[in-house]
Amino acid sequence: MNDRSEMYIRTLGLEPHPEGGHYAGTFAGTPDEEGGAHLYTSIYFLLESGDCSRLHRLKSDELWYFHDGGPLDIHMIFPDGSCRRERLGLGIECGEKPQVLVPAGTIFGSEPAAGSEFSLVGCMVAPGFDFADFELFTQNELLVDYPQHEELIRQLAYPAIPK
């Protein structure tokens, strides 16, 4: 574990996330008129070199913000079967973006870019995140619909969902 990432985990109170990495909730907007979902939620999220955020899907848009460390690769498989990688970071001259949007219904996962010791990012979900709207996938589930992305799926999806 890197000294800086360890410091962030400790001082920000980051806990292990089921999809991988560490996170802590930071903000939640006012609940909607029916008293249900928050208008938005926000977290800190940290991945270390060798870690990944496993392929999953949300029912809401998720906006990612770069904070510190090295760039983060966000891999997205869209409902039409196409796939794209966005690099979250501050190296704009190298094609990195300080903010990346993952549209609702997109299967996605992330990993620190090659050479990154860790990536500290922020994620905001609108309408707000709810674990009931979170789908985590196995390799076999995804390979049925997206065999053309086998390498990515084997890299970023669990062989079986951990208990």
Side-chain angles (χ1 to χ4, degrees), residues 90 93 98 130 150 158:
L90 299 179
E93 69 285 351
D130 185 324
E150 181 175 3
Y158 284 118

Side-chain angles (χ1 to χ4, degrees), residues 1-11 46 48:
M1 184 174 290
N2 173 300
D3 286 345
R4 282 178 52 217
S5 63
E6 187 175 310
M7 180 271 302
Y8 282 127
I9 290 169
R10 185 180 63 256
T11 60
L46 185 140
E48 295 187 271

Side-chain angles (χ1 to χ4, degrees), residues 1-2 5 21 46-52 70-72 111-120:
M1 184 174 290
N2 173 300
S5 63
L46 185 140
L47 287 172
E48 295 187 271
S49 177
D51 285 345
C52 70
L72 182 77
E111 61 186 336
S116 297
E117 291 185 14
F118 74 96
S119 300
L120 175 66

